[in-house]
Amino acid sequence: MDLKTSGDWPLPSGVWQVDAADGAWTLQRSADGQSVSPLLSNADIGKLMHARRLPGAAGEALRQFPPEFAFDPATGAALQAPPDTAAAPPWVPPFGAPAVSDVPPPGAAGLRQASVPLKLADQRARDEHAPAEASLPMPPPGEYEFFSAQFGTCGAALLALDPRKAVLHAWLPASKRWLALDPDYGSLLAESDIAHGAWRAEVVPDFNSVLVLPTSHGLACIRPDVPSLTYVVEHVGGAPCVAGPIWFQNRLWAPLRDDDGRIRFVNLDAAQKPGSDVLLDGVADLGAVSAPVAYNRMAVWPCANGQLRLQLQPDGNVAASFTPWPEGLVPHFEFGSPYLSRDGGLWQLCFERSRHTYVYVKLGSQPERADALAPRLCSGSFNYRFATKLKTAPWEEPEHGDDGGKNQAVMPLLESGAGNGVFGVKFETSAGLSSVLRSTDRLAAQLVQDDELRETVFHTFAVSEPWRVRLFVSEGKLWAYHPLLSRIDGWNLQA
């Protein structure tokens, strides 16, 4: 067999086969060794694998070649690289956190802060009533989180995960449809009952990137393989996760609840190798658990009844603790992320029942308090006083102006990874902000980009709970998903 003209070619991207009769190249097995699904078209494979191309003569179809090739092995003809093959960083839901890395993140983790710069292209030309620049059909009914990374592909593939149903769908970029991934080796992904506002995941980047998810059977490490439409999953811990994981001190941590009611932290390194469990003394009544945040030597899972915390000790070990809130304080997670102060403190919004006032409580072993005139909607570094973006502390009132009469508010959805840009959803608050956030009434809303120059409204829609919109980035576009909308709209981002 002459491998220049026929047979199988084992390559880093997978096993490719060339037909001796017509010289056509097809991907037969993925880099993970799985047979390529017949449901993927050659065009889908070409886009996902960044296949090289050789234009045919007039009337002939374009021919595809493995991405490793610069020339046709049979003729020596130079091959064309597809456009837009620059590597994009993974998108990790829900807020675009950096992927797992040995390099510590520069700031706090777990806030509504994307790791990449985000700014709409042609911002001045935006019209709130103009159609979106692209759209995707909705995946099957459910409530999804979106990942964009290499999943056995040379380019980034887009995955939609419904945590509650434990189903995973891949987007086929040429066929323009969603297809489900099936479990390989018979191991099924477990479901998760973690609330929408508290759910988060991590991604370990690789050619076959790994998703790390909270489930009812422990911390799931799932390796999707898009060319074969399969996945492999391993559950670590053997007990339900009570909250999402977070990358802290170069390990992935998540709290589990054992049958005896005790909390146990499992942890994994970047290679998904488990470390020794860390146990919480006693049986703690956590109440509802919010999404974790971490900064420096501390990781905190704010709970309805207190702070579940991991703390790096002077001897290098990590210890677990649970600290109840001070008497009469009730946390309010519906207003967004904790506030990240300029000195690195993380502050949680609470309501003090005895004084009928809102207060911000500094997370940590010795909580400080600051009284607030009104609650703010917060993404981390920025907070909104109704519809006005501020970077000052949320308990500090501006010297001039009162926007309380505007009857509008902005829920910040994402902070850009560079600059002062914030993407948010603006809505009416005539019934009072707290009441609106508890309501399931249908509301008119706008998507806005608020940067150092202006606020730009770029989309209008109407659904109940519009602040449940998930923004994600894929193929150079910002996409907006809400389970009650009929499609996923997208807008071009600045390169």
Side-chain angles (χ1 to χ4, degrees):
M1 179 175 63
D2 181 5
L3 287 180
K4 285 185 174 296
T5 58
S6 65
D8 291 349
W9 286 61
L11 297 167
S13 59
V15 177
W16 293 76
Q17 187 179 78
V18 58
D19 190 285
D22 60 9
W25 290 82
T26 54
L27 182 65
Q28 296 295 304
R29 293 194 298 277
S30 69
D32 222 22
Q34 306 300 314
S35 296
V36 172
S37 171
L39 298 176
L40 271 69
S41 69
N42 285 336
D44 289 318
I45 291 295
K47 285 181 173 290
L48 291 167
M49 304 308 298
H50 287 172
R52 295 291 181 118
R53 303 178 296 181
L54 183 64
E60 293 183 1
L62 179 143
R63 295 171 59 199
Q64 292 188 158
F65 291 79
E68 291 87 354
F69 288 5
F71 301 92
D72 181 349
T75 67
L79 303 177
Q80 296 178 352
D84 303 324
T85 58
W91 183 265
V92 185
F95 305 121
V100 167
S101 169
D102 290 336
V103 179
L111 303 175
R112 300 186 177 197
Q113 296 175 333
S115 63
V116 294
L118 300 175
K119 192 168 188 176
L120 295 175
D122 304 321
Q123 185 177 352
R124 290 183 177 275
R126 296 286 167 186
D127 186 312
E128 62 183 282
H129 301 295
E133 285 144 357
S135 64
L136 301 175
M138 296 287 277
E143 186 156 17
Y144 288 87
E145 306 288 348
F146 295 86
F147 297 83
S148 178
Q150 289 180 269
F151 299 112
T153 54
C154 295
L158 180 62
L159 297 182
L161 167 76
D162 185 335
R164 287 186 172 271
K165 297 178 180 176
V167 292
L168 196 61
H169 292 80
W171 172 248
L172 303 189
S175 301
K176 305 294 185 185
R177 58 176 177 161
W178 295 97
L179 286 181
L181 274 65
D182 294 321
D184 197 16
Y185 309 135
S187 182
L188 281 169
L189 175 65
E191 300 91 346
S192 170
D193 60 1
I194 292 174
H196 175 268
W199 187 92
R200 78 183 304 274
E202 297 280 0
V203 169
V204 182
D206 205 339
F207 190 83
N208 279 92
S209 299
V210 175
L211 316 181
V212 183
L213 317 170
T215 76
S216 60
H217 287 267
L219 199 57
C221 299
I222 177 169
R223 190 173 72 248
D225 190 62
V226 168
S228 64
L229 293 180
T230 64
Y231 67 82
V232 176
V233 63
E234 179 181 1
H235 296 88
V236 179
C241 289
V242 300
I246 197 163
W247 181 247
F248 169 65
Q249 295 296 320
N250 285 333
R251 301 194 73 83
L252 291 156
W253 295 85
L256 281 59
R257 186 181 294 280
D258 287 322
D259 291 341
D260 60 4
R262 297 184 66 185
I263 297 298
R264 170 170 53 95
F265 284 90
V266 295
N267 64 95
L268 309 171
D269 64 14
Q272 300 97 64
K273 181 180 178 181
S276 299
D277 292 347
V278 174
L279 299 177
L280 178 69
D281 290 338
V283 176
D285 179 14
L286 306 180
V289 185
S290 186
V293 290
Y295 189 68
N296 202 359
R297 298 184 178 186
M298 178 182 69
V300 183
W301 286 258
C303 309
N305 296 331
Q307 303 176 48
L308 181 62
R309 190 167 62 250
L310 290 175
Q311 185 80 38
L312 182 65
Q313 303 298 300
D315 61 4
N317 292 319
V318 172
S321 63
F322 179 73
T323 305
W325 298 111
E327 181 69 27
L329 288 188
V330 179
H332 282 264
F333 305 129
E334 69 272 22
F335 289 88
S337 295
Y339 169 68
L340 177 64
S341 61
R342 295 179 187 272
D343 63 359
L346 291 162
W347 296 74
Q348 174 62 50
L349 175 68
C350 297
F351 186 78
E352 188 171 348
R353 288 178 295 196
S354 61
R355 296 192 298 140
H356 299 284
T357 187
Y358 284 99
V359 298
Y360 282 86
V361 177
K362 189 174 184 179
L363 300 178
S365 58
Q366 296 181 342
E368 303 174 27
R369 302 191 206 185
D371 289 353
L373 186 63
R376 301 278 180 87
L377 299 166
C378 187
S379 54
S381 298
F382 294 95
N383 61 87
Y384 276 82
R385 185 178 185 270
F386 298 99
T388 299
K389 184 180 73 173
L390 299 169
K391 201 168 185 177
T392 54
W395 51 87
E396 295 178 0
E397 291 296 317
E399 294 182 5
H400 303 288
D402 179 12
D403 54 5
K406 290 185 177 179
N407 293 331
Q408 286 185 319
V410 172
M411 173 68 81
L413 302 174
L414 272 183
E415 293 182 17
S416 171
N420 295 314
V422 176
F423 288 87
V425 58
K426 180 183 282 189
F427 51 92
E428 298 292 327
T429 59
S430 55
L433 183 55
S434 183
S435 298
V436 171
L437 292 177
R438 292 194 301 267
S439 170
T440 57
D441 292 343
R442 192 168 184 262
L443 294 176
Q446 300 171 322
L447 288 179
V448 299
Q449 176 184 275
D450 193 344
D451 59 20
E452 60 274 7
L453 298 177
R454 65 184 67 84
E455 179 189 87
T456 302
V457 178
F458 61 95
H459 188 55
T460 59
F461 61 106
V463 292
S464 64
E465 299 180 298
W467 44 87
R468 291 173 74 97
V469 162
R470 289 295 205 212
L471 301 181
F472 64 94
V473 173
S474 176
E475 295 184 336
K477 292 180 174 61
L478 180 75
W479 302 88
Y481 164 82
H482 191 290
L484 299 181
L485 294 175
S486 60
R487 64 181 183 271
I488 305 170
D489 284 327
W491 299 266
N492 292 330
L493 291 168
Q494 284 186 10

